[in-house]
Amino acid sequence: AQSVTQLGSHVSVSEGALVLLRCNYSSSVPPYLFWYVQYPNQGLQLLLKYTSAATLVKGINGFEAEFKKSETSFHLTKPSAHMRDAAEYFCAVTGGSSYKLIFGSGTRLLVRP
Amino acid sequence: NAGVTQTPKFQVLKTGQSMTLQCAQDMNHNSMYWYRQDPGMGLRLIYYSASEGTTDKGEVPNGYNVSRLNKREFSLRLESAAPSQTSVYFCASSEAVVGYGYTFGSGTRLTVV
């Protein structure tokens, strides 16, 4: 079975500060990993995904994530937060013969002026 | 580029009423999904359809039924709404390919009073 754990249901940063959102996964097969973003009153949008190519994945809006197999992690980072980054972020995993995504419980990012 | 379209966007129901949430995608995807999103609980899969003509239960199917009307459309029906079904409902679609990822609709906010 696969699972995802997102550490911290809420993260607060100042504008211009580093954003770090944590995601740890469990998978008995090589995983595919995703980060989605949900802005208020909207659906989820794909930020980036890892599909076993480069371990450092760059996404939209300046976000990137690094796949670390030894740590079973796929943390999302952005060097400098903007007010527009305030949203909820979901990590998801799939792999093996399953194409259904398993989602984490989400992390709400608050950006302080 | 419509992507995944959900209707209605908002709905208020009285306990015991029935309604159908509609979802249509124009990307020729094989697979479609219905999720509910509740605070602190992330996204929970209600039903999915791997391909036209098939449907399967997800984590939380009780109280819901689905119909995969054709390749484009996947509807979710609440036969007798309960306050516990107050939630935001998201439809998503994807190719039935591992690592493909989902495209989400913008959601239906349902309140059962």
Side-chain angles (χ1 to χ4, degrees):
Chain A
Q2 295 174 307
S3 66
V4 168
T5 301
Q6 292 186 239
L7 299 175
S9 58
H10 292 79
V11 170
S12 179
V13 301
S14 297
E15 192 171 19
L18 171 72
V19 175
L20 171 60
L21 304 182
R22 299 179 187 273
C23 172
N24 287 90
Y25 70 91
S26 173
S27 178
S28 58
V29 297
Y32 294 86
L33 293 155
F34 302 77
W35 275 101
Y36 282 83
V37 60
Q38 183 182 28
Y39 298 105
N41 299 315
Q42 295 186 27
L44 281 71
Q45 303 173 30
L46 181 66
L47 263 182
L48 51 81
K49 66 178 180 180
Y50 167 75
T51 57
S52 77
T55 56
L56 182 62
V57 182
K58 294 188 183 300
I60 61 173
N61 301 337
F63 284 93
E64 62 182 35
E66 186 172 9
F67 173 70
K68 292 187 176 181
K69 184 178 179 180
S70 61
E71 299 177 8
T72 62
S73 69
F74 190 57
H75 301 332
L76 182 70
T77 61
K78 181 174 181 178
S80 177
H82 291 271
M83 297 297 291
R84 62 177 178 265
D85 296 327
E88 190 155 19
Y89 292 80
F90 292 91
C91 184
V93 65
T94 189
S97 59
S98 174
Y99 48 85
K100 295 199 305 293
L101 297 185
I102 306 299
F103 287 90
S105 56
T107 297
R108 186 169 297 277
L109 177 65
L110 172 67
V111 182
R112 304 185 304 271
Chain B
N1 285 348
V4 177
T5 302
Q6 291 184 236
T7 55
K9 293 192 181 304
F10 302 93
Q11 184 71 49
V12 178
L13 287 180
K14 294 182 178 179
T15 298
Q17 287 185 320
S18 63
M19 79 161 294
T20 300
L21 281 64
Q22 306 286 354
C23 175
Q25 53 94 6
D26 63 0
M27 296 167 287
N28 204 37
H29 285 164
N30 287 305
S31 301
M32 298 185 73
Y33 312 83
W34 276 105
Y35 286 87
R36 60 179 288 172
Q37 183 179 27
D38 302 291
M41 303 192 74
L43 291 159
R44 293 183 290 170
L45 182 63
I46 306 171
Y47 272 93
Y48 67 99
S49 170
S51 61
E52 185 179 355
T54 69
T55 61
D56 285 288
K57 296 178 180 179
E59 303 173 62
V60 289
N62 291 344
Y64 305 95
N65 285 301
V66 291
S67 296
R68 184 74 183 268
L69 305 170
N70 48 55
K71 192 171 186 179
R72 289 187 63 248
E73 299 173 285
F74 187 40
S75 62
L76 178 71
R77 183 161 179 83
L78 288 70
E79 291 291 352
S80 179
S84 61
Q85 294 178 304
T86 294
S87 188
V88 182
Y89 292 85
F90 287 100
C91 179
S93 71
S94 75
E95 285 295 348
V97 174
V98 179
Y100 190 86
Y102 295 172
T103 300
F104 283 87
S106 58
T108 294
R109 187 174 295 273
L110 176 66
T111 302
V112 183
V113 298

